[in-house]
Amino acid sequence: MTVRARETTQYVGRRRGFSRSLLARLLRKRVAVACLLTIVLLYGSGALAPLVAPYNYRAQDLSHTLAPASLSHPLGTDRLGRDILSRIIYGLRTTVIVTVASLATGSLVLGVAAGLAAGYWGGKVDTLLMRIGEVFLAFPSILLVILIAATVKPRVEGWVRSLESATGIEGLVRLGVVDYLVVFGALALFSWVGMARLVRGQVLFLREQEFTTAAVAIGASTPRILLVHLLPNALPPIVVAVSMSMGSVVGAEVVLSWLGIGVQPPNPSLGNMIFENGSLDVLRSNPHLLLAPVLVVALLIFAFNLLGDALNDVFNPRTR
Amino acid sequence: MLSYIARRLIWTPFLLLIVSLLVFTLGSYGPGDPVEVLLGQRMNQEVAERIRHERGLDRPFWVQYGDYLGKVLRGDLGESFKYPGQPVRPLILQKMWISAQLGIAALAIALAVGLPLGLMAALRQGTWLDTAIVSFTLLFMSLPVFITAPFLILVFALNLDILPTSGWNGLFSSSIVLPALVMGLPGTAVIARLLRASTLDVLGQDYIRTARAKGLPEMLIQRRHVLRNALTPVVTVVGLSLGTLAEGAFITETLFGIPGVGRLALDSIFARDYPIIMAITLIIAASFVAANILVDIAYGFLDPRIRRRAGAGQ
């Protein structure tokens, strides 16, 4: 009989029970449940927009322009007689795509990978990655994102057009694929820095812990140490940060579309709706055109922030 | 601590160099010809070539970039494309002064409202007041300005009709109230939230119990022991909130028709007025970096523990 050395990780040994109790603790908070429901409702209706929305986002009903709320149009109609509720639901679809895509690429993949590398290897890798991050933090992200969107987008559009003519695939430009690509690409460029710093800080602490030394001692491979030992233990702050940053990504998409450089009409986005109706005249005569999308964005951001706060309480042993 | 600051100062010029190269590259390889934008309908191939040659736009990229850097080092930020003959420096300085006034007003609101809110929430932890303040801060923390602005305009300018909807008449006029409020709200929330957290942290420390045990008056404890220590992280955030302010400025200035540097930046990007974009980006980046270093220094002075630790680490 041989005694096999077993790897131990700080939490992973009792992880199943641990995460289950965390979830239970989260679900005991009424605020957190309300936020989760709100997010699921808004994201769900956005993801299933064609099934949920009562009308198509382009369907015009010119005999009912600027109609107030009614049974057939729960939030009224806009200048072209388009159903506002349907447009919001389709706008949410854009929000879902942009937030998930930019967060997945920017924060989760780039940010976590850079943070793990910088924290674990330290030295030159650390310096290089953190310096690159500093460059991105050296100016207001919105300025560079606008600049990228204004200068790079037409070029990307050109590439996609030549791709279209070369391969015979049609409609990529018309469907707004380019808009999505540029918008979430530019957002991802900035969103990785904060996450990388957070993960790096965690890893700096975790790699000095005994379970890491033990894992190194029994010859675990570096990817195994990073992914099985360090990453799970750094997870709680990552989850909190993701929830907190979702709100700002939602806001950033709206800002870009609002400035007219993000998602282009007629493709619906909440930013577009706000942009189209963002004048004093609208506010004076038909405030619901502007306030409906604005309220949805505010609700979404609020839900993400509150959820992040609740998660923080649940994860933080001091406030438990 | 000193060598830490020295290292950061040495790194700063390189950082600015990278930033300038990044923006210059985006500008030159991005599409949209500034000369075309300038000429508009009067576009004429010959005239365009001549203007390009006059401005040196037909030279290779590295020559243009080197030339630009040399000029910047001598304090010459170039000439606007859109307004020929208009040097960039005085234009930007004048706009920056307007934005600075707006920023100061916003920061003043953030501090004047945020600090009392945060302290109140911490001292009444667990009561309805605390809950209300915490929810308020969570709502406004990352609410973009274009969301708060329509509501405030609707209520104060259109319904109550007590404030103007837009315009700029200097620091001491009613037209600054709404934009400053809109820009100050996120800062208010962040400051209140942070001060609440740091105050709660300080309240749990042993030396507060000691102070109470030896019978110091509660007012004195709160002022000298609690507030003073709890303010340290707030200093950082005020320094770093420069970024949030600058970000809010782009949209707020456009929304409220304020002729500041944020509005200028947006207009210049759409007009491809690269000399102005470059200058604004460099100035903002430089002030960001300066603010970061100042915050680090201030932090060291406020908290002797950090000074010692950083010194010991060298």
Side-chain angles (χ1 to χ4, degrees):
Chain A
M1 198 178 124
T2 53
V3 179
R4 290 184 57 192
R6 291 193 49 173
E7 296 171 75
T8 54
T9 53
Q10 195 157 38
Y11 299 134
V12 174
R14 50 192 172 95
R15 198 150 131 251
R16 183 157 299 193
F18 185 66
S19 54
R20 194 175 290 159
S21 80
L22 280 181
L23 188 66
R25 220 178 297 134
L26 186 68
L27 291 180
R28 266 209 302 277
K29 287 179 174 267
R30 262 175 301 171
V31 182
V33 174
C35 290
L36 272 175
L37 284 179
T38 309
I39 294 169
V40 167
L41 183 75
L42 291 176
Y43 265 59
S45 53
L48 304 172
L51 300 177
V52 181
Y55 300 88
N56 187 287
Y57 64 93
R58 307 172 92 154
Q60 300 181 5
D61 180 358
L62 291 172
S63 58
H64 289 97
T65 57
L66 294 172
S70 64
L71 271 182
S72 54
H73 298 286
L75 291 176
T77 59
D78 67 4
R79 198 171 303 285
L80 296 169
R82 297 175 298 192
D83 183 51
I84 292 180
L85 179 67
S86 305
R87 285 187 66 74
I88 287 182
I89 292 174
Y90 275 96
L92 278 170
R93 183 171 67 171
T94 301
T95 305
V96 171
I97 297 174
V98 172
T99 49
V100 171
S102 79
L103 208 75
T105 53
S107 289
L108 287 180
V109 177
L110 274 177
V112 170
L116 281 176
Y120 190 70
W121 282 295
K124 285 209 176 89
V125 181
D126 186 21
T127 312
L128 181 70
L129 286 169
M130 290 300 114
R131 288 293 183 258
I132 295 176
E134 245 172 70
V135 173
F136 284 102
L137 290 184
F139 35 154
S141 52
I142 195 110
L143 183 64
L144 193 65
V145 172
I146 292 170
L147 200 58
I148 291 174
T151 55
V152 176
K153 196 164 88 177
R155 195 153 278 236
V156 176
E157 214 168 275
W159 289 335
V160 175
R161 270 187 213 285
S162 58
L163 186 81
E164 272 181 9
S165 57
T167 55
I169 305 170
E170 267 181 32
L172 284 177
V173 173
R174 194 168 43 79
L175 281 174
V177 173
V178 175
D179 299 338
Y180 293 123
L181 213 68
V182 173
V183 171
F184 73 67
L187 289 175
L189 263 183
F190 282 92
S191 51
W192 70 272
V193 184
M195 184 59 84
R197 291 190 158 190
L198 183 80
V199 174
R200 172 183 174 266
Q202 290 288 312
V203 172
L204 279 182
F205 166 75
L206 290 171
R207 72 163 187 201
E208 302 300 329
Q209 302 300 301
E210 277 162 9
F211 68 90
T212 313
T213 319
V216 176
I218 63 168
S221 67
T222 307
R224 186 173 171 85
I225 293 175
L226 287 177
L227 296 178
V228 178
H229 295 267
L230 297 181
L231 188 58
N233 287 315
L235 217 46
I238 295 179
V239 173
V240 174
V242 164
S243 181
M244 288 285 192
S245 64
M246 279 300 253
S248 50
V249 177
V250 172
E253 182 275 316
V254 177
V255 171
L256 288 181
S257 301
W258 177 83
L259 286 167
I261 49 178
V263 179
Q264 300 294 321
N267 296 309
S269 97
L270 294 168
N272 266 335
M273 296 181 73
I274 295 171
F275 171 65
E276 281 168 14
N277 301 304
S279 72
L280 279 177
D281 288 339
V282 172
L283 213 47
R284 214 170 261 139
S285 50
N286 297 293
H288 71 282
L289 288 185
L290 181 59
L291 297 189
V294 158
L295 274 176
V296 172
V297 175
L299 188 67
L300 201 53
I301 293 178
F302 193 34
F304 274 125
N305 282 356
L306 266 180
L307 181 67
D309 197 50
L311 281 168
N312 197 23
D313 281 353
V314 168
F315 286 136
N316 193 345
R318 273 197 303 176
T319 53
R320 219 174 260 167
Chain B
M1 188 70 198
L2 266 179
S3 80
Y4 171 69
I5 292 170
R7 251 188 300 148
R8 294 205 52 160
L9 285 177
I10 293 169
W11 160 242
T12 304
F14 292 101
L15 181 71
L16 293 177
L17 202 68
I18 299 173
V19 168
S20 71
L21 186 61
L22 204 67
V23 179
F24 203 85
T25 315
L26 276 179
S28 352
Y29 288 113
D33 188 344
V35 180
E36 254 171 56
V37 175
L38 176 73
L39 289 173
Q41 293 298 317
R42 291 167 293 137
M43 183 64 191
N44 170 326
Q45 212 51 49
E46 224 169 278
V47 181
E49 282 307 319
R50 208 183 64 227
I51 294 178
R52 259 189 214 115
H53 186 73
E54 270 171 18
R55 307 215 163 198
L57 290 174
D58 50 358
R59 291 170 302 164
F61 173 79
W62 289 107
V63 179
Q64 284 189 46
Y65 178 64
D67 185 45
Y68 181 79
L69 270 190
K71 275 192 187 155
V72 167
L73 288 178
R74 275 173 273 137
D76 176 8
L77 292 172
E79 211 176 80
S80 161
F81 280 152
K82 198 179 165 199
Y83 314 102
Q86 168 83 278
V88 171
R89 200 162 76 155
L91 183 72
I92 287 187
L93 285 181
Q94 177 215 341
K95 303 269 183 189
M96 274 183 78
W97 172 229
I98 293 177
S99 294
Q101 287 173 309
L102 185 62
I104 290 169
L107 199 60
I109 291 178
L111 284 172
V113 182
L115 290 180
L117 276 187
L119 199 62
M120 227 152 46
L123 294 177
R124 306 259 183 288
Q125 193 199 6
T127 63
W128 64 270
L129 189 70
D130 182 32
T131 316
I133 293 176
V134 169
S135 328
F136 164 85
T137 57
L138 276 171
L139 177 60
F140 284 101
M141 209 168 55
S142 60
L143 216 51
V145 293
F146 61 84
I147 298 218
T148 39
F151 279 97
L152 289 176
I153 292 179
L154 192 64
V155 173
F156 290 105
L158 296 180
N159 283 352
L160 296 177
D161 201 17
I162 46 175
L163 292 168
T165 52
S166 64
W168 176 253
N169 298 303
L171 186 55
F172 301 103
S173 72
S174 58
S175 57
I176 201 175
V177 177
L178 279 184
L181 201 60
V182 165
M183 270 173 70
L185 270 175
T188 309
V190 171
I191 289 175
R193 218 176 134 63
L194 201 76
L195 186 64
R196 175 181 178 272
S198 65
T199 307
L200 285 180
D201 198 43
V202 172
L203 280 175
Q205 302 283 330
D206 286 343
Y207 61 82
I208 298 296
R209 200 174 46 204
T210 312
R212 289 220 170 102
K214 71 181 182 186
L216 282 183
E218 191 60 30
M219 276 299 285
L220 195 70
I221 297 177
Q222 281 173 15
R223 214 175 49 227
R224 186 171 297 167
H225 294 265
V226 177
L227 192 58
R228 215 176 139 178
N229 286 302
L231 274 178
T232 322
V234 178
V235 173
T236 330
V237 166
V238 170
L240 298 178
S241 71
L242 196 77
T244 335
L245 278 179
E247 243 160 71
F250 291 105
I251 298 143
T252 314
E253 286 175 7
T254 314
L255 272 176
F256 286 94
I258 296 167
V261 75
R263 178 97 185 274
L264 179 70
L266 283 188
D267 288 349
S268 309
I269 288 177
F270 292 117
R272 317 236 176 264
D273 201 341
Y274 289 115
I276 295 187
I277 302 172
M278 285 289 302
I280 293 178
T281 317
L282 278 180
I283 291 173
I284 290 181
S287 45
F288 263 45
V289 175
N292 272 333
I293 293 177
L294 280 180
V295 163
D296 276 347
I297 298 175
Y299 218 63
F301 277 109
L302 282 172
D303 192 341
R305 281 170 299 182
I306 291 174
R307 197 162 42 206
R308 215 168 304 134
R309 207 179 307 144
Q314 301 314 314

